[in-house]
């Protein structure tokens, strides 16, 4: 089985973690249940960018990725 490995910086990780914590907190406060979230890797000839979507979107910017 192959794995897709996405490398993010410490600041990108912190931004993603903060965003998801806010979303989880809002979900609990509003008693909406948990719908999950989407991690999207956009790959173009100009580069690769990562975003996370859950009650809004956070763009994390350029990332490196590969398949092992």
């Amino acid at each position: 089985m192959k794995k897709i490995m996405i490398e993010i910086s410490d600041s990108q990780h912190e931004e993603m973690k903060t965003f998801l914590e806010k979303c989880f907190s809002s979900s609990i406060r509003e008693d909406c249940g948990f719908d999950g979230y989407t991690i999207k890797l956009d790959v173009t000839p100009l580069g690769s960018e990562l975003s996370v979507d859950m009650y809004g979107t956070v763009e994390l910017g350029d990332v490196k990725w590969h398949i092992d």
Side-chain angles (χ1 to χ4, degrees):
M1 179 177 286
K2 301 292 183 186
K3 296 178 188 177
I4 298 174
M5 305 295 290
I6 301 171
E7 297 177 33
I8 60 175
S9 68
D10 290 340
S11 62
Q12 288 170 316
H13 178 259
E14 191 60 38
E15 186 176 359
M16 180 174 71
K17 187 172 128 183
T18 300
F19 174 76
L20 290 173
E21 285 172 351
K22 284 182 186 177
C23 290
F24 292 138
S25 180
S26 293
S27 177
I28 290 170
R29 266 195 323 273
E30 296 172 13
D31 198 25
C32 335
F34 176 65
D35 292 333
Y37 57 92
T38 302
I39 297 175
K40 182 178 176 185
L41 176 64
D42 287 312
V43 179
T44 70
L46 300 176
S48 304
E49 294 188 350
L50 191 69
S51 62
V52 179
D53 182 47
M54 179 184 187
Y55 309 127
T57 302
V58 64
E59 302 287 338
L60 298 174
D62 295 335
V63 294
K64 294 179 183 176
W65 69 279
H66 63 276
I67 298 175
D68 278 345

